[in-house]
Amino acid sequence: MSRAMSTPSPTQPPPAGRRKRRSFDWSTAVIGTLVVSAGSAVLWRDGWAPFLSILTHDLTLLVDILPKVLAGCLIGAFVMMLLPREVVARWVGGESGFVGLVIATLVGTFLPGGPFSIYPITAALLTLGADVGTATTFIAAWSLLGYNRALVWELPFMGGDFTFWRVAVSLPLPILAGLFARLLWKVLINRDDPA
Amino acid sequence: MELKLDLALILTGVLWGAVLVLGLMAWRRGRILLREGLRTGGLDFIHILPRIMLGVVGSGYLAAVMPQSLIIQWIGPQSGFLGVAIAAVFGAITPGGAVVGFAIAATALKTGGGAPQVIAYATAWALISLQRTLVWEVPAMPAQFVTMRLLASVPLPFLAALGAMLIGRP
């Protein structure tokens, strides 16, 4: 958390040294416990055949998606290295109005990275003069349309049909969120400033 | 099914094509950059490997023990906007990262949750996720911004579900 607090400045050095991620945290432990319990329950209730059939199906799925996950990780690493976050912040922060929302949607969609990098970038956007709507659109696009999350995580778990249609119905949402945020800002926080 | 398989293959090809292009771009700026990118990406992969194995292999067992009648009753295709609201609230309070969120969503879908309701769950989890907001966003962003962003995000799970209901897919 202290990392996130120290990063709102756009002059932050490239994120090469930010990685200190554990591969096993408490939420993984919770899921692990649930999975082991569920697996044992299936074995105890239904016997070996259903247990193994589920295992085979899920292992096939795993083999299918691992190459994608590896590619996703490499893309993320290269983009973060080739594209310093102050460049991104300048792209998105420099435009206002509706164009700003469209650019924020595009950049948010194609920028890889997790919460440890996306919020500092957004904070940098705000200091560079982006308004609340642009920043809201950026975060919404990253979380709803981000190709990284969709391809690496959603596709294998949810299947192509679900992922495609979820993304399709979500396409207009980041811009709507930005417009809502601008409206709320105007009504609730600053009535005079056309945010 | 065949179409889906081809789509998966094309996607994998596109992803690796992007890796190739980005790797070339890094290599042109210096061999060290290429090596650094490969190393960082490879380490990331190794880090998330246990989670993804657990999530993918586990979701089948979780789905098998879920109380199906309860899922159908609460967030099934017939649950309408009340089901959408229930799913959205659960999405907002689901802790953890992508594995947890999608493992739960996949389980809900497999055990009879309606597609619009599961879309509302995934949308709320992606946008509002209270744990991610508190741990990552609040320390990095001005409080007024976080409040406005969250307020502006509240209608979106409902709009996404409405969109899915209107077009009747997936």
Side-chain angles (χ1 to χ4, degrees), chain A residues 1 19 21-23 26 45 51 55 58 67-69 73 77 81 119 122-123 135 143 153 155 157-158 165 180 185, chain B residues 11-12 16 33 40-41 44 47-48 51-52 55 57 60-61 64 99 106 126 131 135 140-141 145 148 152 167:
Chain A
M1 222 194 292
R19 286 169 199 276
R21 288 155 63 197
R22 288 157 300 160
S23 50
W26 68 268
R45 188 187 63 185
F51 178 85
L55 187 65
D58 289 348
K68 284 190 210 117
V69 178
C73 289
M81 235 172 45
Y119 294 118
T122 316
S143 42
W153 298 106
L155 197 62
F157 275 111
M158 311 300 294
W165 289 106
F180 286 156
W185 189 270
Chain B
L11 269 175
T12 311
W16 279 100
L33 227 58
T40 313
D44 279 354
H47 274 306
I48 63 169
R51 285 182 220 189
I52 197 162
V57 174
Y61 292 119
V99 170
Q131 188 215 9
V135 172
M141 314 285 293
F145 168 80
M148 291 303 110
I167 57 176

Side-chain angles (χ1 to χ4, degrees), chain A residues 56-69:
Chain A
T56 318
H57 174 266
D58 289 348
L59 283 178
T60 317
L61 193 67
L62 187 67
V63 171
D64 175 49
I65 65 164
L66 282 184
K68 284 190 210 117
V69 178

